[in-house]
Amino acid sequence: DAKTTQPTSMDCAEGRAANLPCNHSTISGNEYVYWYRQIHSQGPQYIIHGLKNNETNEMASLIITEDRKSSTLILPHATLRDTAVYYCIVRVHPKTSYDKVIFGPGTSLSVIP
Amino acid sequence: GAVVSQHPSWVICKSGTSVKIECRSLDFQATTMFWYRQFPKQSLMLMATSNEGSKATYEQGVEKDKFLINHASLTLSTLTVTSAHPEDSSFYICSPLQQGPGHYYSNQPQHFGDGTRLSIL
């Protein structure tokens, strides 16, 4: 089973920030939070990941609570092309062994003109 | 960034046909490959994990004789759906795990192919 819970769906107005929450209350100390998205009929696309510090890249920002039990993915200026299913996943960084990536249902984000 | 090539992207065939799907890592080596399938309006479901040069490990409920996986090299893995039937129609996605130095895996994020849409008539 997936180790995260996310809202089933969300709407966001074009140009506004999209804030996608994720709960991961059973996260372990060595597990990272990863975010992927899947645009219709494509493979998942990596967005961002983090351990405990907030992270930002050209696509999004990731805010992780101090207790690490939840996080929020922020798309600062949503466009229509950001309409997709967003998956929040927790896993260890693979080193000498790997952790299977298990996908939950994700959040279906609809960006509205 | 890492590039994963999955082929074909779309295939339609008759019931009883076997279909082979290829997944290549174009600019990195992958010791491990994950294969997922996705039914309409559902999430990705892990089918199997393969390691180069050894037998694949299948998830519960996935028939190993139905879904043959060959991971013969560090850049190529194939999934063959044998004697496909309409219920095998789905979106199949590969995900190679990038190998790092020595016996370590890369700390790069997991990459995914663009998927193969299989339709069995």
Side-chain angles (χ1 to χ4, degrees):
Chain A
D1 292 340
K3 304 176 185 177
T4 64
T5 56
Q6 301 174 249
T8 302
S9 63
M10 293 181 64
D11 291 339
C12 178
E14 187 179 16
R16 304 296 293 271
N19 297 292
L20 292 91
C22 179
N23 286 322
H24 31 79
S25 58
T26 61
I27 191 169
S28 301
N30 62 345
E31 286 183 316
Y32 287 70
V33 180
Y34 283 80
W35 283 83
Y36 287 84
R37 73 179 181 185
Q38 186 179 25
I39 295 170
H40 182 63
S41 293
Q42 296 183 23
Q45 176 190 21
Y46 165 78
I47 301 173
I48 198 167
H49 73 281
L51 182 63
K52 54 183 178 181
N53 297 323
N54 297 337
E55 301 287 345
T56 296
N57 63 19
E58 65 278 5
M59 291 183 68
S61 295
L62 174 60
I63 308 298
I64 302 174
T65 58
E66 192 168 344
D67 63 7
R68 302 208 323 123
K69 292 185 177 182
S70 65
S71 61
T72 301
L73 178 74
I74 301 173
L75 307 179
H77 306 287
T79 69
L80 299 179
R81 288 176 294 181
D82 292 322
T83 293
V85 178
Y86 287 77
Y87 297 101
C88 170
I89 294 161
V90 296
R91 63 174 301 195
V92 297
H93 253 333
K95 193 170 185 183
T96 56
S97 63
Y98 55 83
D99 201 15
K100 295 184 289 188
V101 175
I102 304 298
F103 287 83
T107 296
S108 178
L109 175 68
S110 297
V111 180
I112 302 169
Chain B
V3 179
V4 180
S5 174
Q6 187 172 341
H7 179 80
S9 58
W10 185 49
V11 59
I12 301 175
C13 58
K14 295 181 179 179
S15 184
T17 306
S18 292
V19 179
K20 179 184 285 188
I21 301 170
E22 291 188 351
C23 183
R24 296 179 184 272
S25 52
L26 298 184
D27 58 355
F28 66 94
Q29 293 185 326
T31 308
T32 300
M33 178 75 74
F34 299 105
W35 286 95
Y36 296 84
R37 67 179 167 185
Q38 185 176 34
F39 293 109
K41 299 189 184 301
Q42 295 186 21
S43 187
L44 284 78
M45 296 295 294
L46 182 65
M47 298 175 64
T49 305
S50 69
N51 289 295
E52 186 262 339
S54 61
K55 291 184 178 180
T57 302
Y58 291 82
E59 296 298 305
Q60 190 173 8
V62 179
E63 300 174 56
K64 62 178 182 179
D65 295 329
K66 174 77 168 176
F67 300 98
L68 301 179
I69 293 173
N70 185 308
H71 193 163
S73 78
L74 292 174
T75 58
L76 172 64
S77 177
T78 61
L79 169 68
T80 301
V81 183
T82 62
S83 187
H85 292 285
E87 58 266 28
D88 298 321
S89 298
S90 188
F91 191 53
Y92 292 86
I93 305 168
C94 67
S95 179
L97 195 58
Q98 187 171 350
Q99 182 177 356
H103 296 290
Y104 294 90
Y105 290 96
S106 167
N107 61 3
Q108 293 297 310
Q110 190 166 334
H111 308 287
F112 293 84
D114 277 337
T116 297
R117 187 157 302 282
L118 176 62
S119 296
I120 308 299
L121 304 178

